[in-house]
Structure formats: C-alpha cells, structure tokens
Amino acid sequence: MTIDDISTLIGRISLRDRAAFSQLYKKTSPKLFAICIRILRDRNEAEEALQEIYVKIWQRADRYATGETSPMSWLSAIARNHAIDVIRARKPVANTIDEAYDLADPSPDPEKSALNSAEGRRIETCMEQLDRERAEAVRKAYVEGLSYQELAELFNVPLNTMRTWLRRSLLKLRECMDQ
Amino acid sequence: MTIQNPESGDFRRDEVIAGEYVLGVLSAEDRRKVEARMVLDRSFAAMVGRWQDNLSSFEDEYEPVVPPARVLTMVERRLFADAVSSAPAAAVSGGFWNSLVFWRGLTLAAVIGMAAIGTINSGLLSGSQGGKPLVAELSGEGSTSINLLAQYDGESGALRVVPVAARQTEEKSLELWLIVGDKPPQSLGVLPQTGKGEIIVPQAMRAKIAEGATLAVSVEPFGGSPTGSATGPVIAVGKTRSL
C-alpha cells in the first residue's frame, strides 16, 4: 500500500465513489481501529468511534488536499481527534489555554546545535535530545491520549510540573525540528 | 537557537498550543477554541498541520487491529441507506440560471486536490499566484445530478472535465461556463460526449480563469446552447482554487 494509493482513494471518495470508500476502509481501518482502542481503552466504544470516524472521512474527503499532509496522517488525525474528543467529553479536564504559559527562554545549546544538519530533522532525533522521562510523557500523551492530570499521576509529578515539562518539550522539539 | 522576533513570546505560545492540541492534552472547550482559530488564522492552522506531520511517526506504535465486519456494515448503512430511494432529477428548463432557489439549493463546490491531478504538471496560469494548475470539483444537488472534476492547465489552455457517474443520457450536450464575479456566465465550450475529453479554452478566455472563478455546467440541446447563454438546467457548479 503506497501513499499514492490512499491519496487516490480519498480523491475518488470525494467524488462519491463507494467502491473506493470500502477499499480505503479495508486498507486503513485496522490502523484507525488500533488508535481508537488505545485511546478509548474500550472495544465497544472503539467500534462506535470507528463508525463515526469513517462517516467523517466520507464527509470530509473533499477537504483533503494532496501535498499539504500525508494521506495516512490526515486519516489518523481524524481518528485521533475523534477519539480524544470522546474521552475529553467523558472525563473533562481543566481549561488551560487562556492561562499564562511558563515557557522560559530557550537556552542555546551550542554542543547540540553543532550536530544539526541543514535539513529539517526527524522527530526521533529531536526526541533524543529531551530528557528521557519528558520524551516519554510527550509520546504517551500522543499515543494514548492522556491528559495532563493522567500524565502527572503516571510520572508522579505535580500537575503544573507536567504542564511545564510538556510545553517546554514542545518548544524544544519545534526548535530542533526547525534547525 | 535564540528568537529575535519581539513578538516571539506569542509566537512560541502559539506553537505550544498548537502542539498541545495535536498531542491531545487540552480540554474539550480548549480544543474547540483551537479549531475555531484554525479556521480564522491560516498561519496558526499551518502550525497545527506541521505538528501533525512531525508527530505522526509516533503512530508506528499502533499495532493494526482488524475491526469486526459489523462496523463497515453500520457505516455503509448510515451513509448510503437513503441514496437508493432518490430518483434522477427531471430536467428543469428556462430561467434556471437566475433562480435564487437554485443558487440557494445548490451544494456549493467542494474543492479538491486529488492525487490524479498530479498528472498535470507545469501548468502556468498567468495571473494566478505560484502558477499552479487549478482544479475544481463541480457538484450538483444530492445524488440526482452528476459530479465533474475539472482540471485546467493554464499553459496549454487545456481544460479537462471528467464527468463522474453521468446520468443524462439523452441527446443533450453539457456546456461549461465561466463566471467571474457578478458578470454573466461566458461559455467555455461544449464537453465531449465521451466523458474524458478536453476543451481547449479560447485564448481570450484564458486570462479570466483564475483562482476563485466559478465553473458551471448546464445541460443544453445537442451541440450547445443556441443562444450563447445557458438555457438548460445548471447541474454542477464549483469554484477553482490552486492546487
């Protein structure tokens, strides 16, 4: 299965091609189902979510623009966003984006900068530059859809510490990826 | 890396919020705020998109699980259950173009960028930014009309219109129209009946086909409109955009 295949299928779906839709479902549903199971941690809910996700894919296929993002990550984003919306609705967490963010100034790190290539770098390389625990927190947040509260409990740190960890880690990743 | 931009504080905060959104740690309410901002603020939406691309390699951790067959059955039932019952639309004649009901009732163009469009390259469109080829999906109401995919290569002036699931089988022609702003529609030509042909857009018209222009298709007597303006029902319409 190549990226082009999936992207072509999405294009055909946007023209209301049902055969393309069931083909896309066959090719991609195991991955998207895995996302639902992992984030929702409940098979029945995951099945229900998967239904909603493919209804959305059918409805939004015309908004997929080749080149802007890879077709698989476009599909995964629909799946993850839906699954995360379901758990955030089920188990509300505090609003945060209107509060102050403690981002600190990025400290230039000449040693590490020297390793940078001119090309944009892969996330895995940049993840290695984070402290192990923080990198793990970033990964768990993404893969399992954990909230700040859940992450704080898991890593046994205060909630605010976890927020600062993740936010600063995001900035470091951004800077690293941009170099 | 130091950031010199005096507005970097906000910029960095935006980057973090975009990243938090993609990670999934925000509350439901905050997620809606982020999504609303993505609609209004293209550069912020681009930040979110970049995080999405950057972090998507974490998805290797999801080991595929084949879902039970009933899921697809349910999805198809939900999406296609009512499609069987609707009959093809009867052709409406006269005055359709100016009908408000028509404009209101029309499902306005879903505009797409499809992989298949990759076959048209180096389309230089004078007057449009970036000289990219244009594409428009033209769609009519519900399942009763036809869908067309229009691809325009500004360099050669080739406008390729591919009907999808055509339902008009009588001795009629499909005529393609260009609408710029409030001006009356101008004919771009009659689509070949074969379904896979091209219209070569007249030189004089080429400059007018730019991003944001509207393409529409009407059903006309065989050979095209006898009057020079659309006489039959407009079955599809769509706006162009750059790929």
Side-chain angles (χ1 to χ4, degrees):
Chain A
M1 171 175 62
T2 69
I3 281 171
D4 281 355
D5 285 341
I6 300 178
S7 150
T8 304
L9 287 174
I10 296 171
R12 282 170 55 198
I13 291 168
S14 74
L15 300 172
R16 296 295 169 250
D17 181 334
R18 292 185 200 176
F21 181 71
S22 66
Q23 236 177 304
L24 183 86
Y25 181 89
K26 273 195 200 90
K27 287 183 174 192
T28 58
S29 62
K31 190 78 174 182
L32 302 196
F33 193 41
I35 291 175
C36 296
I37 292 173
R38 194 76 174 267
I39 292 177
L40 297 170
R41 282 173 266 171
D42 177 299
R43 254 190 122 89
N44 288 332
E45 279 194 50
E47 277 184 36
E48 214 168 285
L50 193 64
Q51 270 186 47
E52 300 297 331
I53 288 160
Y54 276 91
V55 168
K56 284 182 183 173
I57 290 169
W58 173 263
Q59 290 165 344
R60 296 181 188 176
D62 57 4
R63 290 187 231 163
Y64 172 71
T66 310
E68 273 174 33
T69 180
S70 99
M72 203 55 221
S73 78
W74 185 77
L75 294 171
S76 301
I78 292 178
R80 284 189 65 254
N81 281 331
H82 182 82
I84 287 165
D85 282 342
V86 170
I87 44 165
R88 290 291 168 268
R90 183 171 72 191
K91 225 176 139 188
V93 299
N95 298 332
T96 51
I97 59 171
D98 293 326
E99 291 165 12
Y101 273 39
D102 176 14
L103 300 178
D105 275 335
S107 51
D109 190 335
E111 207 177 310
K112 282 176 182 167
S113 300
L115 299 171
N116 298 335
S117 69
E119 293 287 302
R121 286 147 20 108
R122 289 181 50 84
I123 188 77
E124 296 302 337
T125 316
C126 294
M127 287 285 278
E128 281 165 20
Q129 299 192 5
L130 300 179
D131 293 341
R132 182 189 294 258
E133 272 197 311
R134 297 183 189 199
E136 196 47 34
V138 168
R139 193 184 295 272
K140 278 214 177 294
Y142 187 91
V143 174
E144 299 182 22
L146 298 182
S147 66
Y148 276 128
Q149 186 63 50
E150 289 164 322
L151 289 164
E153 285 162 18
L154 189 67
F155 287 85
N156 202 20
V157 296
L159 178 59
N160 276 330
T161 304
M162 181 50 73
R163 286 188 181 137
T164 305
W165 273 18
L166 245 61
R167 288 170 182 165
R168 292 189 182 177
S169 298
L170 283 168
L171 272 186
K172 278 194 174 172
L173 287 174
R174 178 81 285 138
E175 282 154 14
C176 172
M177 305 283 289
D178 285 350
Q179 275 162 2
Chain B
M1 187 177 88
T2 40
I3 296 167
Q4 263 107 34
N5 183 343
E7 290 177 289
S8 62
D10 282 334
F11 176 77
R12 292 166 71 228
R13 186 189 159 98
D14 284 352
E15 280 288 6
V16 171
I17 291 174
E20 286 181 299
Y21 173 77
V22 173
L23 284 182
V25 291
L26 298 178
S27 71
E29 194 181 321
D30 284 344
R31 288 175 63 74
R32 297 298 83 80
K33 284 183 187 169
V34 167
E35 285 159 4
R37 179 150 172 221
M38 284 167 68
V39 174
L40 301 170
D41 181 346
R42 281 181 73 93
S43 69
F44 181 71
M47 284 180 187
V48 173
R50 209 145 47 110
W51 277 116
Q52 190 57 62
D53 273 355
N54 292 157
L55 301 180
S56 62
S57 65
F58 293 160
E59 286 158 21
D60 295 346
E61 289 200 22
Y62 298 118
E63 282 300 322
V65 183
V66 176
R70 58 177 173 269
V71 179
L72 179 60
T73 310
M74 289 298 292
V75 171
E76 291 189 321
R77 195 173 298 162
R78 280 178 58 184
L79 289 175
F80 311 133
D82 54 340
V84 219
S85 54
S86 47
V92 187
S93 59
F96 199 78
W97 191 269
N98 296 314
S99 153
L100 243 178
V101 178
F102 159 68
W103 288 107
R104 215 183 285 136
L106 203 70
T107 319
L108 250 190
V111 176
I112 65 154
M114 231 177 81
I117 313 301
T119 53
I120 299 182
N121 34 37
S122 75
L124 292 170
L125 190 67
S126 54
S128 94
Q129 45 188 150
K132 291 173 182 162
L134 295 172
V135 60
E137 183 206 355
L138 294 75
S139 53
E141 284 177 277
S143 57
T144 55
S145 52
I146 69 165
N147 287 316
L148 299 157
L149 178 66
Q151 306 167 353
Y152 177 63
D153 182 346
E155 196 169 46
S156 62
L159 180 55
R160 187 160 166 259
V161 181
V162 185
V164 181
R167 288 175 193 256
Q168 297 282 349
T169 51
E170 311 120 79
E171 286 285 276
K172 298 265 187 190
S173 289
L174 298 178
E175 191 157 359
L176 187 61
W177 305 87
L178 174 71
I179 308 160
V180 181
D182 296 322
K183 301 203 180 99
Q186 292 171 280
S187 177
L188 289 172
V190 174
L191 305 190
Q193 305 292 70
T194 56
K196 270 238 167 178
E198 285 182 353
I199 291 179
I200 301 300
V201 176
Q203 275 296 348
M205 298 288 288
R206 291 183 193 179
K208 296 178 185 165
I209 304 187
E211 193 169 357
T214 300
L215 297 177
V217 173
S218 67
V219 181
E220 299 294 338
F222 190 75
S225 162
T227 67
S229 54
T231 60
V234 174
I235 52 169
V237 64
K239 262 194 197 312
T240 57
R241 61 158 237 190
S242 290
L243 272 182

